Amino acid sequence: MASSKAEGNREELLTKQRNQMREEFERQKQTLIQETEKARPSANRFVGQNDSMEDSLKHSTVGLVRLEDFQQRRKELEEAKAREAARTNELKEEKKVKKRKKANKATLSFALDDDDEGEESASASVGGEANGERPVKKAKSRKNPEVDTSFLPDREREEAERRERESLRQEWLRKQEELKNEEVEIVYSYWDGSGHRKSVTCKKGDSISTFLEKCRQQFPELRGIGVDNLMYIKEDLIIPHHHTFYDFIVNKARGKSGPLFNFDVHDDVRLLADATVEKDESHAGKVVERSWYQRNKHIFPASRWEVYDPDKNYGKYTIA
């Protein structure tokens, strides 16, 4: 009995020691972790306080967002960034002007003015001494009012120029919105190996996806097909759905076989052939199913089609 009791006491003592050692180990581990975190440089130490436009756009467009909402949000952020940049430049200019004024306190002086003022002060002092009065010193004016100072910084003039620039910018945006709201008739052809020509009326600011949705309603065989499974080909170029007709009109975009900013159909009729003058002809755009294009992209005319790239120069118009 005595031996079993001693063994129990010894086991209890060893258990307490192990628990104390474990607690001490955990405490030292937490201390080391805290010291390491303090010594480690902060991830935000060298990061600016103001998020960039892309970061703000990412934060404000989390999840599934419509393309129109995404473009509108990006446009608002770009305008806000432009206004903030203009305001920052104005503050910098004001600080520079203040520093320049403090550093340079030199005034304009002209020798003729100084001589005239010196003679007047001398005559005044002589007259004052003759009358027994104390001569009064006249303050010297070293500024010439006839000097052109339009090149010098002027806060009021800069503010007026800024307001004029802002009003012109707003007027330009208003005119662009009016242009986007103008209607245009677009002649197209549903292409399934042969053409089925029709026309649809859209606004110049509408995107290609909106145009394809209207085309889908005009053909019964297309009503069961989504817009994502339709393609718009203009002048042998596959136009992505996010582009608008306004983009092509403003930029006077060119395709491989004609202009992308003319949406009617007309031929180039000339009485006299002149190779130095570029042809002016427009062809109807094609609306095709994506599955049809995948099956026939190795056959003419689909073999000529390629995705439109706004940065690429397609050179002169060709038809072969």
Side-chain angles (χ1 to χ4, degrees):
M1 289 292 296
S3 61
S4 61
K5 187 176 181 180
E7 287 293 334
N9 293 336
R10 182 169 177 272
E11 184 177 354
E12 184 179 357
L13 181 62
L14 291 175
T15 303
K16 287 182 179 180
Q17 290 179 356
R18 283 196 296 270
N19 292 335
Q20 291 177 358
M21 292 174 63
R22 188 179 296 108
E23 292 175 358
E24 181 66 20
F25 173 76
E26 291 294 334
R27 187 182 62 79
Q28 292 180 0
K29 182 179 178 181
Q30 292 296 329
T31 304
L32 287 174
I33 291 174
Q34 293 176 1
E35 292 178 355
T36 305
E37 291 295 333
K38 289 180 180 180
R40 182 181 300 169
S42 176
N44 298 326
R45 181 175 296 179
F46 301 103
V47 178
Q49 296 297 325
N50 297 327
D51 293 340
S52 63
M53 188 188 71
E54 294 295 333
D55 294 337
S56 302
L57 189 60
K58 290 177 183 178
H59 294 326
S60 59
T61 55
V62 178
L64 188 61
V65 181
R66 296 174 61 239
L67 178 61
E68 294 80 3
D69 299 337
F70 178 82
Q71 292 176 344
Q72 180 66 22
R73 182 58 182 165
R74 181 170 62 182
K75 182 180 178 181
E76 292 175 358
L77 289 175
E78 288 177 353
E79 291 182 358
K81 187 176 181 181
R83 287 194 296 269
E84 184 178 356
R87 196 178 303 112
T88 304
N89 292 336
E90 291 174 3
L91 293 176
K92 288 182 179 180
E93 291 296 331
E94 291 179 2
K95 289 182 179 180
K96 288 182 180 180
V97 171
K98 290 181 180 179
K99 289 182 179 180
R100 196 179 299 115
K101 286 183 179 180
K102 289 181 180 180
N104 305 330
K105 290 192 176 181
T107 56
L108 295 173
S109 61
F110 299 91
L112 295 176
D113 295 343
D114 293 341
D115 295 341
D116 296 340
E117 292 174 0
E119 292 176 0
E120 291 177 0
S121 61
S123 61
S125 61
V126 171
E129 290 177 356
N131 297 331
E133 298 177 357
R134 187 174 180 181
V136 179
K137 291 185 177 180
K138 185 178 180 181
K140 294 183 178 180
S141 178
R142 297 180 178 273
K143 296 181 180 179
N144 186 358
E146 297 179 359
V147 174
D148 182 18
T149 59
S150 59
F151 62 92
L152 295 176
D154 187 350
R155 182 177 299 178
E156 295 180 357
R157 186 176 67 247
E158 291 175 355
E159 180 66 20
E161 291 177 354
R162 187 190 66 80
R163 286 196 297 267
E164 184 179 359
R165 287 196 300 269
E166 182 66 19
S167 64
L168 292 174
R169 189 178 71 87
Q170 294 295 338
E171 182 180 359
W172 183 84
L173 292 175
R174 180 178 56 79
K175 289 183 178 180
Q176 299 307 307
E177 288 298 327
E178 293 177 357
L179 180 61
K180 289 180 181 180
N181 291 326
E182 292 180 359
E183 292 186 346
V184 59
E185 183 182 9
I186 302 171
V187 180
Y188 73 96
S189 176
Y190 169 54
W191 188 266
D192 57 356
S194 60
H196 309 279
R197 183 169 296 183
K198 284 193 177 184
S199 64
V200 66
T201 302
C202 293
K203 293 182 179 180
K204 293 182 179 179
D206 288 346
S207 62
I208 301 300
S209 59
T210 305
F211 160 72
L212 290 175
E213 178 64 29
K214 293 183 178 181
C215 296
R216 197 170 66 90
Q217 302 299 327
Q218 293 186 343
F219 288 93
E221 54 267 39
L222 294 180
R223 292 176 183 174
I225 301 174
V227 174
D228 293 337
N229 293 323
L230 294 177
M231 299 170 59
Y232 177 58
I233 290 85
K234 175 68 173 171
E235 308 301 344
D236 294 329
L237 292 177
I238 302 172
I239 309 299
H241 290 187
H242 66 273
H243 285 287
T244 62
F245 299 109
Y246 168 81
D247 298 335
F248 301 119
I249 294 171
V250 171
N251 297 320
K252 299 293 182 183
R254 298 158 55 101
K256 296 173 67 176
S257 57
L260 297 176
F261 51 87
N262 288 335
F263 305 104
D264 57 348
V265 178
H266 62 269
D267 296 326
D268 185 59
V269 179
R270 305 184 187 183
L271 298 177
L272 181 62
D274 188 358
T276 61
V277 179
E278 189 174 59
K279 289 185 177 182
D280 180 22
E281 57 185 9
S282 179
H283 310 94
K286 296 181 179 63
V287 175
V288 301
E289 298 180 32
R290 196 176 296 274
S291 58
W292 183 92
Y293 171 71
Q294 294 295 335
R295 293 194 306 268
N296 300 276
K297 61 183 178 180
H298 61 287
I299 305 172
F300 184 85
S303 59
R304 274 181 50 83
W305 300 346
E306 61 178 277
V307 179
Y308 169 69
D309 184 2
D311 297 328
K312 183 177 179 180
N313 182 12
Y314 293 97
K316 295 184 178 180
Y317 302 143
T318 60
I319 59 174

